[in-house]
Amino acid sequence: MTLRRPAPAHQAHSFRRGLVPKATAIVNARVFDGTRLRDWTSIRFADGTITDCATGPTAHDGDEVIDAGGGTILPGLIDSHVHLVAGALAQGLTFGVTTALDMFSQADVMVVAKQQAGARSDVADVRSAGIGATAPGGHPSAMYAPFPTLTGPEQAEQFVADRVAEGSDFVKIFGPSGAAGPWAMPSLNPATIAALTEAAHRRGLVVVAHVNSLAGLREVVSAGVDVIAHVPVDGELDRALAERIAEAGISVGPTLATAENVLGEPGGAAVAADPRLAGMLGDAQVRRVTSGASAQHGRKTPPYSRAEENVGRLVDAGVTILAGTDAPNPGTVFGASLHRELELLGRCGMTPDQALNAATAAPARVFDLPDRGHVAPGRRADLVLVSGDPLTDITATRAIERIWRAGVPCERRAFVASAAEAQELDAFDARVAKVVAAVRERRYGFGQAKAD
């Protein structure tokens, strides 16, 4: 389902005042437009907007001309699932993520991030759910409390109105945990989930539902949400449910980059081991991403292979898949882990062009961002130039040569946290540890769990 509403004021390219570079033409390139490889070899952009795409020269007199050397131009990448902490937007942009979709932040954090994105060209753009809807004491209270919660459907209208007033771009709902008895966590009932979904849709807002069980998945599908965050691993996703999701036009962001670490696979170590990624992480971030490796391997947690199998069933059913990382959960890092997510989606049966679509045109369509996610005249000049061919080897997205955000070239550099940012990151890690301690006993009895 694609919902339309007036573009918020912060979508304007305000940060480009005084920063507008010369018009630029990229030549000798391959061009993936967000859906397919085109026969174009050159594109031109000026004043933050793509002006021309052609099989021949596009440069005008006075343009800066860049020889791509046979490399591939991609739309700027969109990470469909992050959580804002210090350095998130700067680090994401270093790895080609020009837009980040934040899936839960306190209102003040969201406002500051949007102000940064509107004023600076060296950070990714951002859209945010702000505060998500959950029951008192429900997930993710241990992570972000205090924040507003709901106890019944009669509160849904006001909850959504309050989020809109704070500046939320879409609505996040935390679905049922699927656990029962003493392991159950407080959660919204089906009537409240449905009321929230209806209230959001009346305002033209996309609704994202967090799930961690097949039972919870069925409930939010019945409520008519637009996007499902995470893929359940507590059982095998049956074909009928996958087809129902596809027929309803619901998209799924499986966040495999987090799931593999939660379920005992060394995904963070795999990111750090690739020099195309590690070179821009810096020592501190390498330590962070590798320290998140789970100690659960071989225990009684569900196997990570089930996550890939369930995503494969969604792919086979024709469900729209969105690439998102859930960074900075253990074993993930902003930007770099999105490239890992693309690799993991390929292991689920997605072709390279489908995986690239999941990080470009698909989230732009689902989250109503019509100015980006595509390489085409009139679209925003969010662009990534990589060497090699990611349409034959999806890991070629990691070989980044240049990045432009709204036509402004981005200087790639490893994120180094200031003392204040390091303190904020440590506090976030402490909150994650708190969630891990609470959830691992409820869900698995032990081991690592993700924040949200």
Side-chain angles (χ1 to χ4, degrees), residues 28-32 37-38 40-41 68 70-74 388-391:
N28 191 21
R30 307 170 81 252
V31 181
F32 175 78
L37 183 70
R38 304 298 297 257
W40 303 327
T41 62
T72 305
I73 298 170
L74 307 171
D389 181 9
L391 292 164

Side-chain angles (χ1 to χ4, degrees), residues 254-266:
T255 63
L256 295 172
T258 285
E260 65 172 345
N261 291 287
V262 169
L263 298 175
E265 300 297 327

